[in-house]
Amino acid sequence: MAKKSSKNIFGFLSFSALIIFAICKIIGILNKYLELGINTGMLNTIGTIFLLICVLWSAWTFASGCKKVWRIIYFVLLAIIILGFVFGLNIL
């Protein structure tokens, strides 16, 4: 039962991220042609967080079944990605 619940949560997050990014793109097009000046920064950030959660979770399900080296690589990349997101760094 837990697996079905987690699939529903991550499916919801993925679908929500798609909707959010579609809304941001539509607003961006409207801003470009109609010069509305609507800011989509926070909405875009929420969509990015949803996608990061989904990608990091699915990467962990893969890495947890692999050897220890791959789990260490996962945690190093996880730390870089989280620090990059929080501090706005583009390391990778």
Side-chain angles (χ1 to χ4, degrees):
M1 199 67 173
K3 286 193 175 204
K4 186 175 183 180
S5 173
S6 65
K7 284 182 184 179
N8 289 339
I9 291 169
F10 294 111
F12 173 75
L13 287 176
S14 299
F15 194 72
S16 298
L18 284 175
I19 291 172
I20 289 170
F21 285 127
I23 290 171
C24 287
K25 288 294 181 187
I26 291 170
I27 291 173
I29 291 169
L30 292 175
N31 281 340
K32 181 178 178 181
Y33 292 113
L34 301 178
E35 298 177 6
L36 298 176
I38 300 172
N39 187 6
T40 60
M42 191 61 186
L43 194 60
N44 199 9
T45 302
I46 292 169
T48 303
I49 290 171
F50 287 174
L51 284 179
L52 276 176
I53 291 170
C54 294
V55 168
L56 292 173
W57 180 263
S58 62
W60 172 246
T61 57
F62 172 75
S64 65
C66 295
K67 293 183 179 182
K68 188 175 182 177
V69 174
W70 289 106
R71 288 182 287 206
I72 292 171
I73 291 171
Y74 170 81
F75 283 116
V76 169
L77 290 173
L78 177 69
I80 291 171
I81 289 169
I82 290 174
L83 288 173
F85 182 78
V86 170
F87 296 113
L89 304 173
N90 290 321
I91 297 171
L92 295 177

